[in-house]
Amino acid sequence: MDDAGEFADVGVMKFGGSTFMEVKDYLSLAATLRTWSAEQQRKLVIVVSAMRGETERLRETLTSLWPLHTAEASQSLLPMADSISAHLLHAALRQVGACAAWLDGWEAGFVAAVPSSAGHLNAVSPAPLERALDSADIVVLAGGQATDEDGRHAWLGKNSSDVSAVAAAVAVGARECDIFSDVDGIYRVDPRLAPDSDPLPTLSYPTAAAMGRFGAKVLHPAAVELAERHRIRIRCRENRRPYRSGSSIGPDAPDRSAVVFNDRSHVLRFESRTIAADVIRELTEVGIRAMPYGADDPRVVIVGEYQDVTAILRRRKLPAGEAAGFPVVEVYGERVHIEVLHSRDEAIRHVAGVHRGVPGPRVPERTTHQEPGRISP
Protein backbone atom coordinates (compact mmCIF):
# COMPACT_ATOMS: atom_id res chain seq x y z
CA MET A 1 0.00 0.00 0.00
CA ASP A 2 1.18 3.54 -0.69
CA ASP A 3 2.28 5.72 2.21
CA ALA A 4 -0.43 7.77 3.90
CA GLY A 5 -0.59 11.50 3.41
CA GLU A 6 0.42 14.24 5.83
CA PHE A 7 -3.02 15.61 6.71
CA ALA A 8 -3.16 14.44 10.32
CA ASP A 9 -5.55 17.29 11.22
CA VAL A 10 -8.21 16.14 8.75
CA GLY A 11 -11.46 14.78 10.16
CA VAL A 12 -12.97 11.79 8.35
CA MET A 13 -16.69 11.14 8.71
CA LYS A 14 -19.22 8.88 7.04
CA PHE A 15 -22.96 9.56 6.93
CA GLY A 16 -25.24 6.65 6.15
CA GLY A 17 -28.32 6.73 3.95
CA SER A 18 -30.72 7.28 6.87
CA THR A 19 -29.14 10.73 7.29
CA PHE A 20 -30.87 11.86 4.11
CA MET A 21 -34.56 11.10 4.49
CA GLU A 22 -35.52 14.31 2.65
CA VAL A 23 -33.65 16.61 0.30
CA LYS A 24 -33.60 19.34 2.95
CA ASP A 25 -31.45 17.07 5.12
CA TYR A 26 -28.51 17.79 2.81
CA LEU A 27 -28.73 21.50 3.62
CA SER A 28 -29.04 20.83 7.34
CA LEU A 29 -25.95 18.61 7.37
CA ALA A 30 -24.04 21.03 5.14
CA ALA A 31 -24.57 23.86 7.62
CA THR A 32 -23.40 21.64 10.48
CA LEU A 33 -20.27 20.54 8.61
CA ARG A 34 -19.35 24.09 7.71
CA THR A 35 -19.66 25.06 11.39
CA TRP A 36 -17.61 22.08 12.57
CA SER A 37 -14.84 22.78 10.07
CA ALA A 38 -14.65 26.45 11.12
CA GLU A 39 -14.86 25.84 14.87
CA GLN A 40 -12.36 22.98 14.88
CA GLN A 41 -10.14 24.72 12.32
CA ARG A 42 -9.57 21.54 10.37
CA LYS A 43 -10.46 20.16 7.00
CA LEU A 44 -13.00 17.38 6.58
CA VAL A 45 -13.46 14.37 4.29
CA ILE A 46 -17.13 13.39 4.24
CA VAL A 47 -18.13 9.98 2.83
CA VAL A 48 -21.82 9.59 2.03
CA SER A 49 -24.18 6.78 1.14
CA ALA A 50 -27.22 6.96 -1.11
CA MET A 51 -30.52 8.19 0.23
CA ARG A 52 -32.34 5.32 1.91
CA GLY A 53 -33.89 2.93 -0.61
CA GLU A 54 -32.31 4.46 -3.72
CA THR A 55 -29.81 1.65 -4.36
CA GLU A 56 -32.52 -1.01 -4.11
CA ARG A 57 -34.81 0.96 -6.41
CA LEU A 58 -32.06 0.91 -9.03
CA ARG A 59 -31.55 -2.82 -8.49
CA GLU A 60 -35.26 -3.54 -8.90
CA THR A 61 -35.42 -1.48 -12.08
CA LEU A 62 -32.40 -3.26 -13.56
CA THR A 63 -33.84 -6.67 -12.68
CA SER A 64 -37.21 -5.80 -14.21
CA LEU A 65 -35.48 -4.91 -17.49
CA TRP A 66 -32.86 -7.68 -17.47
CA PRO A 67 -33.58 -10.51 -15.02
CA LEU A 68 -30.32 -12.27 -15.90
CA HIS A 69 -28.21 -9.15 -15.65
CA THR A 70 -24.50 -9.60 -15.20
CA ALA A 71 -22.47 -8.69 -12.14
CA GLU A 72 -20.78 -6.01 -14.28
CA ALA A 73 -24.14 -4.39 -15.02
CA SER A 74 -25.11 -4.09 -11.35
CA GLN A 75 -21.63 -2.94 -10.34
CA SER A 76 -21.81 -0.16 -12.92
CA LEU A 77 -25.34 0.99 -12.10
CA LEU A 78 -25.86 0.64 -8.35
CA PRO A 79 -23.05 2.98 -7.18
CA MET A 80 -24.72 5.82 -9.09
CA ALA A 81 -27.08 6.24 -6.14
CA ASP A 82 -24.10 7.07 -3.89
CA SER A 83 -22.68 9.45 -6.51
CA ILE A 84 -25.97 11.35 -6.61
CA SER A 85 -25.90 11.69 -2.83
CA ALA A 86 -22.34 13.05 -2.92
CA HIS A 87 -23.29 15.59 -5.61
CA LEU A 88 -26.29 16.76 -3.59
CA LEU A 89 -24.26 17.26 -0.40
CA HIS A 90 -21.61 19.12 -2.38
CA ALA A 91 -24.30 21.40 -3.82
CA ALA A 92 -25.70 22.02 -0.33
CA LEU A 93 -22.24 22.85 1.01
CA ARG A 94 -21.72 25.39 -1.76
CA GLN A 95 -25.14 26.85 -1.02
CA VAL A 96 -24.23 27.47 2.65
CA GLY A 97 -20.95 29.09 1.68
CA ALA A 98 -18.50 26.28 2.38
CA CYS A 99 -15.32 25.83 0.34
CA ALA A 100 -16.12 22.31 -0.87
CA ALA A 101 -15.11 19.77 -3.52
CA TRP A 102 -16.38 16.32 -4.42
CA LEU A 103 -14.89 13.09 -5.71
CA ASP A 104 -16.55 10.03 -7.11
CA GLY A 105 -15.18 6.87 -5.51
CA TRP A 106 -13.47 5.94 -8.78
CA GLU A 107 -11.31 9.05 -8.38
CA ALA A 108 -10.34 8.49 -4.74
CA GLY A 109 -7.30 6.24 -5.24
CA PHE A 110 -8.89 3.07 -3.84
CA VAL A 111 -8.07 -0.16 -5.72
CA ALA A 112 -10.44 -3.07 -5.13
CA ALA A 113 -9.57 -6.72 -4.58
CA VAL A 114 -11.43 -9.42 -6.52
CA PRO A 115 -14.32 -9.99 -6.13
CA SER A 116 -14.78 -6.30 -5.36
CA SER A 117 -18.25 -6.85 -3.89
CA ALA A 118 -16.61 -8.34 -0.78
CA GLY A 119 -15.40 -4.86 0.13
CA HIS A 120 -11.67 -5.58 0.34
CA LEU A 121 -9.03 -3.26 -1.08
CA ASN A 122 -5.62 -3.98 -2.55
CA ALA A 123 -4.29 -0.43 -2.30
CA VAL A 124 -5.06 3.08 -1.08
CA SER A 125 -3.25 6.03 -2.68
CA PRO A 126 -3.24 9.35 -0.78
CA ALA A 127 -2.65 11.54 -3.86
CA PRO A 128 -6.26 12.16 -5.01
CA LEU A 129 -7.48 13.29 -1.59
CA GLU A 130 -4.33 15.33 -1.02
CA ARG A 131 -4.99 17.24 -4.24
CA ALA A 132 -8.64 17.81 -3.35
CA LEU A 133 -7.78 19.02 0.17
CA ASP A 134 -5.25 21.47 -1.26
CA SER A 135 -8.10 23.52 -2.70
CA ALA A 136 -11.07 22.80 -0.41
CA ASP A 137 -11.95 22.76 3.27
CA ILE A 138 -14.51 19.97 2.89
CA VAL A 139 -14.20 17.12 0.39
CA VAL A 140 -17.28 14.97 -0.26
CA LEU A 141 -16.65 11.40 -1.38
CA ALA A 142 -19.18 8.94 -2.81
CA GLY A 143 -19.01 5.77 -0.72
CA GLY A 144 -18.64 2.15 -1.77
CA GLN A 145 -16.67 2.83 -4.95
CA ALA A 146 -13.19 1.98 -6.19
CA THR A 147 -11.39 0.89 -9.34
CA ASP A 148 -9.99 -2.51 -10.18
CA GLU A 149 -6.39 -3.21 -11.16
CA ASP A 150 -7.18 -2.19 -14.75
CA GLY A 151 -8.74 1.12 -13.77
CA ARG A 152 -12.34 0.04 -14.38
CA HIS A 153 -15.12 1.07 -12.02
CA ALA A 154 -15.68 -1.36 -9.14
CA TRP A 155 -18.47 -1.47 -6.55
CA LEU A 156 -17.44 -2.56 -3.05
CA GLY A 157 -20.84 -4.07 -2.27
CA LYS A 158 -23.86 -3.42 -0.10
CA ASN A 159 -23.30 -1.08 2.87
CA SER A 160 -19.65 -0.58 1.90
CA SER A 161 -19.42 3.18 2.50
CA ASP A 162 -17.81 2.23 5.83
CA VAL A 163 -14.91 0.79 3.82
CA SER A 164 -14.52 4.04 1.88
CA ALA A 165 -14.48 6.04 5.12
CA VAL A 166 -11.71 3.96 6.71
CA ALA A 167 -9.75 3.99 3.43
CA ALA A 168 -10.03 7.81 3.40
CA ALA A 169 -8.66 7.87 6.95
CA VAL A 170 -5.74 5.72 5.80
CA ALA A 171 -5.13 8.05 2.86
CA VAL A 172 -4.98 11.25 4.92
CA GLY A 173 -3.20 9.74 7.92
CA ALA A 174 -6.13 10.19 10.32
CA ARG A 175 -6.13 8.10 13.50
CA GLU A 176 -9.92 8.18 13.91
CA CYS A 177 -12.96 7.79 11.71
CA ASP A 178 -16.52 8.73 12.74
CA ILE A 179 -19.39 6.64 11.38
CA PHE A 180 -22.79 8.37 11.68
CA SER A 181 -25.92 6.22 11.40
CA ASP A 182 -29.43 5.91 12.84
CA VAL A 183 -28.14 4.27 16.04
CA ASP A 184 -25.68 5.65 18.55
CA GLY A 185 -23.61 2.51 18.96
CA ILE A 186 -23.25 -1.26 18.77
CA TYR A 187 -25.44 -3.33 21.08
CA ARG A 188 -24.76 -6.75 22.56
CA VAL A 189 -28.09 -7.86 21.09
CA ASP A 190 -30.35 -6.00 18.68
CA PRO A 191 -32.47 -3.89 21.07
CA ARG A 192 -35.54 -4.61 18.96
CA LEU A 193 -35.20 -8.25 20.05
CA ALA A 194 -33.98 -7.58 23.59
CA PRO A 195 -35.08 -4.13 24.86
CA ASP A 196 -32.78 -4.44 27.88
CA SER A 197 -29.73 -4.99 25.67
CA ASP A 198 -26.74 -2.90 26.65
CA PRO A 199 -24.68 -0.80 24.25
CA LEU A 200 -21.01 -1.74 24.11
CA PRO A 201 -18.95 1.38 24.92
CA THR A 202 -15.78 -0.20 23.56
CA LEU A 203 -15.12 -3.41 21.65
CA SER A 204 -12.27 -5.06 19.84
CA TYR A 205 -11.78 -5.15 16.11
CA PRO A 206 -12.35 -8.95 15.98
CA THR A 207 -15.67 -8.66 17.83
CA ALA A 208 -16.98 -5.89 15.57
CA ALA A 209 -15.82 -7.68 12.40
CA ALA A 210 -17.39 -10.99 13.43
CA MET A 211 -20.70 -9.31 14.27
CA GLY A 212 -20.79 -7.54 10.92
CA ARG A 213 -19.79 -10.64 9.00
CA PHE A 214 -22.72 -12.59 10.40
CA GLY A 215 -25.40 -9.99 9.83
CA ALA A 216 -25.37 -7.51 12.72
CA LYS A 217 -26.39 -4.10 11.40
CA VAL A 218 -23.23 -2.42 12.65
CA LEU A 219 -20.14 -1.93 10.49
CA HIS A 220 -18.96 -3.55 7.27
CA PRO A 221 -16.46 -6.24 8.33
CA ALA A 222 -13.96 -5.25 5.63
CA ALA A 223 -13.94 -1.71 7.08
CA VAL A 224 -13.16 -3.05 10.54
CA GLU A 225 -10.38 -5.27 9.19
CA LEU A 226 -8.83 -2.34 7.32
CA ALA A 227 -9.05 -0.18 10.45
CA GLU A 228 -7.34 -2.88 12.51
CA ARG A 229 -4.43 -3.15 10.08
CA HIS A 230 -3.84 0.59 10.32
CA ARG A 231 -4.79 1.02 14.00
CA ILE A 232 -7.56 3.47 13.19
CA ARG A 233 -10.20 3.99 15.86
CA ILE A 234 -13.80 3.87 14.62
CA ARG A 235 -16.37 5.84 16.60
CA CYS A 236 -20.09 5.15 16.08
CA ARG A 237 -22.28 8.23 16.35
CA GLU A 238 -25.94 9.05 15.84
CA ASN A 239 -26.71 11.03 12.69
CA ARG A 240 -29.18 13.39 14.32
CA ARG A 241 -28.56 16.20 16.79
CA PRO A 242 -26.88 16.14 19.27
CA TYR A 243 -24.86 13.53 17.30
CA ARG A 244 -24.27 11.37 20.35
CA SER A 245 -21.16 9.22 20.38
CA GLY A 246 -21.65 5.59 21.33
CA SER A 247 -19.39 2.60 20.72
CA SER A 248 -15.69 2.87 19.97
CA ILE A 249 -13.74 0.16 18.13
CA GLY A 250 -10.02 0.43 18.44
CA PRO A 251 -6.65 -0.81 19.64
CA ASP A 252 -6.56 -2.36 23.11
CA ALA A 253 -10.35 -2.56 23.34
CA PRO A 254 -11.63 -5.80 24.89
CA ASP A 255 -13.28 -8.72 23.15
CA ARG A 256 -17.00 -8.71 23.85
CA SER A 257 -19.79 -11.26 23.78
CA ALA A 258 -22.77 -10.71 21.52
CA VAL A 259 -25.67 -12.53 19.91
CA VAL A 260 -26.52 -11.86 16.27
CA PHE A 261 -29.79 -12.62 14.55
CA ASN A 262 -30.65 -10.91 11.28
CA ASP A 263 -34.22 -11.61 10.23
CA ARG A 264 -33.12 -11.63 6.59
CA SER A 265 -30.51 -14.36 7.16
CA HIS A 266 -31.30 -17.98 6.39
CA VAL A 267 -29.67 -21.33 5.64
CA LEU A 268 -29.95 -23.40 2.46
CA ARG A 269 -29.01 -27.06 2.08
CA PHE A 270 -27.63 -28.46 -1.20
CA GLU A 271 -26.96 -31.97 -2.41
CA SER A 272 -23.20 -31.72 -2.08
CA ARG A 273 -20.43 -29.46 -0.81
CA THR A 274 -19.35 -28.95 -4.44
CA ILE A 275 -22.73 -27.50 -5.38
CA ALA A 276 -22.69 -25.39 -2.23
CA ALA A 277 -19.28 -23.99 -3.23
CA ASP A 278 -20.62 -23.10 -6.70
CA VAL A 279 -23.57 -21.31 -5.11
CA ILE A 280 -21.31 -19.34 -2.76
CA ARG A 281 -19.08 -18.26 -5.65
CA GLU A 282 -22.01 -17.18 -7.80
CA LEU A 283 -23.75 -15.26 -5.02
CA THR A 284 -20.52 -13.55 -3.95
CA GLU A 285 -19.98 -12.29 -7.48
CA VAL A 286 -23.33 -10.45 -7.39
CA GLY A 287 -22.68 -8.93 -3.98
CA ILE A 288 -24.55 -11.38 -1.76
CA ARG A 289 -22.80 -12.45 1.44
CA ALA A 290 -22.83 -16.25 1.52
CA MET A 291 -20.56 -18.62 3.42
CA PRO A 292 -20.27 -22.33 4.18
CA TYR A 293 -21.84 -23.54 7.40
CA GLY A 294 -18.84 -25.82 7.90
CA ALA A 295 -15.84 -27.12 5.99
CA ASP A 296 -17.53 -30.31 4.76
CA ASP A 297 -21.14 -29.26 5.20
CA PRO A 298 -23.47 -28.81 2.16
CA ARG A 299 -25.35 -26.00 3.94
CA VAL A 300 -24.83 -22.35 3.04
CA VAL A 301 -25.49 -19.43 5.36
CA ILE A 302 -27.02 -16.47 3.48
CA VAL A 303 -26.38 -13.37 5.59
CA GLY A 304 -28.84 -10.49 5.87
CA GLU A 305 -30.03 -10.73 2.30
CA TYR A 306 -32.88 -8.58 0.98
CA GLN A 307 -32.94 -10.17 -2.49
CA ASP A 308 -34.78 -13.31 -3.54
CA VAL A 309 -31.82 -15.68 -3.49
CA THR A 310 -33.85 -18.66 -4.69
CA ALA A 311 -34.98 -16.75 -7.78
CA ILE A 312 -31.42 -15.59 -8.48
CA LEU A 313 -30.10 -19.16 -8.34
CA ARG A 314 -32.83 -20.43 -10.63
CA ARG A 315 -32.15 -17.69 -13.16
CA ARG A 316 -28.49 -18.66 -13.11
CA LYS A 317 -29.38 -22.35 -13.59
CA LEU A 318 -28.19 -23.43 -10.16
CA PRO A 319 -30.20 -25.56 -7.72
CA ALA A 320 -32.42 -23.43 -5.49
CA GLY A 321 -31.50 -25.46 -2.43
CA GLU A 322 -33.68 -26.60 0.44
CA ALA A 323 -34.63 -24.24 3.26
CA ALA A 324 -32.73 -25.44 6.31
CA GLY A 325 -33.54 -22.86 8.99
CA PHE A 326 -32.39 -19.56 10.42
CA PRO A 327 -28.98 -18.91 11.97
CA VAL A 328 -28.37 -17.39 15.40
CA VAL A 329 -24.71 -16.55 15.90
CA GLU A 330 -23.00 -16.26 19.27
CA VAL A 331 -19.84 -14.19 19.14
CA TYR A 332 -16.90 -13.75 21.46
CA GLY A 333 -14.00 -11.94 19.86
CA GLU A 334 -13.62 -13.69 16.51
CA ARG A 335 -14.86 -17.01 17.84
CA VAL A 336 -18.39 -17.84 16.79
CA HIS A 337 -20.94 -20.57 17.25
CA ILE A 338 -23.84 -20.90 14.81
CA GLU A 339 -27.12 -22.38 16.01
CA VAL A 340 -29.66 -23.12 13.25
CA LEU A 341 -33.32 -22.87 14.31
CA HIS A 342 -36.34 -24.11 12.37
CA SER A 343 -38.31 -20.85 12.32
CA ARG A 344 -37.80 -17.14 12.85
CA ASP A 345 -39.93 -17.27 16.01
CA GLU A 346 -37.72 -20.03 17.42
CA ALA A 347 -34.63 -18.02 16.50
CA ILE A 348 -35.94 -14.94 18.31
CA ARG A 349 -36.77 -17.00 21.41
CA HIS A 350 -33.29 -18.51 21.28
CA VAL A 351 -31.71 -15.06 21.10
CA ALA A 352 -33.67 -13.97 24.17
CA GLY A 353 -32.62 -17.11 26.05
CA VAL A 354 -28.95 -16.71 25.25
CA HIS A 355 -29.10 -13.00 26.06
CA ARG A 356 -30.21 -13.68 29.60
CA GLY A 357 -26.77 -15.13 30.28
CA VAL A 358 -24.29 -14.44 27.52
CA PRO A 359 -20.73 -14.88 28.83
CA GLY A 360 -19.56 -16.00 25.39
CA PRO A 361 -20.17 -18.81 22.90
CA ARG A 362 -21.23 -22.03 24.52
CA VAL A 363 -19.37 -24.03 21.88
CA PRO A 364 -16.65 -21.77 20.42
CA GLU A 365 -15.31 -24.28 17.95
CA ARG A 366 -15.92 -22.22 14.81
CA THR A 367 -13.71 -19.34 13.77
CA THR A 368 -14.67 -16.31 11.73
CA HIS A 369 -15.13 -17.20 8.07
CA GLN A 370 -12.72 -15.50 5.62
CA GLU A 371 -14.31 -14.76 2.27
CA PRO A 372 -12.49 -16.06 -0.83
CA GLY A 373 -10.48 -13.47 -2.64
CA ARG A 374 -9.59 -11.44 0.42
CA ILE A 375 -6.29 -9.58 -0.02
CA SER A 376 -4.91 -7.42 2.76
CA PRO A 377 -3.52 -4.05 1.63
Side-chain angles (χ1 to χ4, degrees):
M1 175 182 288
D2 296 339
D3 292 335
E6 299 299 328
F7 290 87
D9 59 342
V10 175
V12 179
M13 305 173 184
K14 174 254 179 172
F15 288 86
S18 63
T19 309
F20 311 112
M21 303 303 291
E22 302 178 74
V23 173
K24 67 180 182 180
D25 292 333
Y26 288 98
L27 282 170
S28 176
L29 178 59
T32 297
L33 295 175
R34 182 177 184 273
T35 299
W36 284 351
S37 179
E39 290 181 346
Q40 299 169 15
Q41 294 190 327
R42 65 173 180 166
K43 298 191 175 191
L44 303 176
V45 175
I46 307 300
V47 177
V48 295
S49 300
M51 293 183 76
R52 176 170 284 181
E54 288 301 312
T55 302
E56 293 319 308
R57 276 190 279 274
L58 284 177
R59 189 195 301 276
E60 290 170 5
T61 301
L62 175 61
T63 301
S64 69
L65 294 171
W66 187 11
L68 291 174
H69 64 267
T70 62
E72 290 79 8
S74 61
Q75 290 220 351
S76 296
L77 177 66
L78 300 186
M80 290 183 182
D82 302 283
S83 293
I84 291 170
S85 195
H87 280 283
L88 291 175
L89 182 58
H90 174 254
L93 284 162
R94 295 297 298 271
Q95 173 64 23
V96 301
C99 179
W102 62 268
L103 291 175
D104 273 326
W106 342 108
E107 305 171 300
F110 308 155
V111 180
V114 178
S116 61
S117 59
H120 300 296
L121 298 174
N122 280 347
V124 173
S125 170
L129 280 171
E130 287 180 355
R131 288 193 296 269
L133 288 164
D134 280 340
S135 59
D137 294 332
I138 302 174
V139 176
V140 183
L141 178 63
Q145 302 175 4
T147 60
D148 64 15
E149 298 275 353
D150 297 319
R152 295 172 298 192
H153 293 184
W155 182 48
L156 297 176
K158 182 73 172 173
N159 299 324
S160 57
S161 291
D162 296 342
V163 181
S164 300
V166 175
V170 172
V172 302
R175 304 317 306 159
E176 296 180 334
C177 175
D178 289 335
I179 304 292
F180 292 79
S181 68
D182 55 3
V183 293
D184 62 354
I186 297 174
Y187 285 72
R188 191 181 305 276
V189 181
D190 188 333
R192 294 175 302 176
L193 302 179
D196 60 338
S197 177
D198 298 320
L200 300 170
T202 60
L203 66 161
S204 67
Y205 296 116
T207 303
M211 292 178 70
R213 190 173 290 109
F214 284 94
K217 297 171 183 177
V218 288
L219 296 165
H220 195 294
V224 178
E225 292 161 2
L226 184 60
E228 181 176 18
R229 287 193 288 277
H230 294 274
R231 313 303 282 174
I232 293 170
R233 184 176 301 278
I234 299 175
R235 294 185 302 186
C236 300
R237 300 179 63 179
E238 197 168 21
N239 60 8
R240 293 286 185 264
R241 298 182 188 277
Y243 302 105
R244 291 177 299 185
S245 182
S247 305
S248 173
I249 301 98
D252 305 319
D255 285 341
R256 300 287 190 178
S257 58
V259 185
V260 178
F261 173 64
N262 186 312
D263 59 6
R264 294 182 183 273
S265 296
H266 57 283
V267 179
L268 295 175
R269 187 194 309 274
F270 296 90
E271 290 185 3
S272 70
R273 180 68 189 91
T274 300
I275 295 174
D278 291 340
V279 166
I280 291 170
R281 183 179 61 254
E282 188 73 22
L283 293 179
T284 299
E285 287 181 358
V286 296
I288 294 174
R289 185 171 293 279
M291 57 188 70
Y293 181 77
D296 299 313
D297 198 301
R299 287 176 290 180
V300 173
V301 179
I302 311 294
V303 180
E305 195 43 57
Y306 45 88
Q307 299 185 72
D308 186 341
V309 172
T310 299
I312 290 171
L313 292 176
R314 284 175 176 156
R315 288 198 300 266
R316 295 176 181 275
K317 303 190 184 309
L318 284 168
E322 175 187 352
F326 301 88
V328 172
V329 182
E330 299 166 51
V331 176
Y332 189 81
E334 59 183 334
R335 293 178 296 164
V336 302
H337 169 69
I338 304 174
E339 193 78 20
V340 178
L341 286 303
H342 291 295
S343 69
R344 284 188 171 87
D345 288 344
E346 286 183 14
I348 291 170
R349 287 195 296 270
H350 184 75
V351 169
V354 176
H355 172 60
R356 284 193 289 270
V358 60
R362 293 175 291 106
V363 188
E365 76 271 18
R366 297 189 189 279
T367 56
T368 304
H369 173 72
Q370 302 295 325
E371 289 86 349
R374 174 183 169 189
I375 302 174
S376 301

